[in-house]
Amino acid sequence: MGVDVRIWYDTEFYEDGRTIELISIGLVREDGAEYYAETILGAHFASRSQWLRDNVLRHLRQGDAVKTTNTIRNEILAFAGDKPEFWAYYADYDWVVLCQLFGRMIDLPNNWPKWCRDLKQLATYHGVQLPAQEGIEHHALADAKWLRDAHLWCEQYINTNGL
Ligand SMILES: [Mg+2]
């Protein structure tokens, strides 16, 4: 078995209290590799609420970023590798919408963990105030890169301060 490879990711999604629909997803791997994609219906869903129109729709890249969910699933599978360790921020909805690319929970790849780590929980547990995000927000790849940076900063802060 290989070593766990950390993957920081973020999604933008539409949700109405009953269902979650993926709009876009960005992932950053520990070695610095990045992945970004938007769903075919992403722009459609991103136009369905005022908040999404104001915060998400305008950041969508469209064009070659738009892919079928089958393609997104297969590309993420390859990107994640043999032993991924997933990190998100306020992770719950992001985790469900990522997992739903595969169908049900039991349809997840065997080598994937059935849970996601959450920087919000780590920071809260240790009483750490995370640095504010600068630049573009609510673009899934920009958010994933902030998450990576904030997580590494947080780990160092915890170690330095013996928390
Ligand atoms: Mg986001």
Side-chain angles (χ1 to χ4, degrees):
M1 293 290 281
V3 178
D4 287 13
V5 172
R6 291 200 280 194
I7 294 172
W8 297 273
Y9 76 98
D10 184 62
T11 65
E12 302 304 327
F13 53 82
Y14 168 82
E15 62 103 6
D16 61 6
R18 288 181 59 83
T19 187
I20 311 177
E21 298 288 348
L22 182 66
I23 293 170
S24 59
I25 185 164
L27 301 87
V28 180
R29 209 167 52 201
E30 213 165 328
D31 63 2
E34 298 173 0
Y35 178 80
Y36 178 73
E38 297 167 8
T39 59
I40 288 173
L41 289 175
H44 165 73
F45 282 114
S47 64
R48 285 184 75 174
S49 82
Q50 190 63 51
W51 190 90
L52 288 170
R53 283 194 292 277
D54 291 344
N55 295 286
V56 173
L57 182 62
R58 63 202 183 95
H59 295 314
L60 293 182
R61 201 170 86 200
Q62 296 290 274
D64 64 355
V66 177
K67 295 174 178 180
T68 67
T69 48
N70 268 0
T71 297
I72 295 172
R73 181 187 65 218
N74 291 336
E75 289 180 348
I76 289 176
L77 201 51
F79 184 88
D82 293 338
K83 219 177 168 203
E85 177 186 296
F86 291 101
W87 284 85
Y89 188 57
Y90 291 81
D92 306 276
Y93 282 68
D94 298 283
W95 181 238
V96 170
V97 82
L98 171 58
C99 291
Q100 284 183 339
L101 287 171
F102 295 88
R104 300 165 299 169
M105 186 181 183
I106 59 167
D107 299 321
L108 279 173
N110 287 333
N111 57 317
W112 278 29
K114 302 295 183 285
W115 63 292
C116 176
R117 289 157 170 91
D118 190 335
L119 177 61
K120 182 63 183 172
Q121 291 204 13
L122 179 73
T124 302
Y125 181 82
H126 292 283
V128 176
Q129 182 76 39
L130 293 171
Q133 185 169 351
E134 291 172 5
I136 297 174
E137 274 184 76
H138 306 302
H139 178 290
L141 184 58
D143 291 355
K145 288 198 257 189
W146 173 83
L147 167 65
R148 185 259 325 267
D149 295 345
H151 182 195
L152 296 178
W153 176 89
C154 184
E155 278 191 330
Q156 192 169 27
Y157 186 92
I158 288 168
N159 288 336
T160 302
N161 293 281
L163 299 177

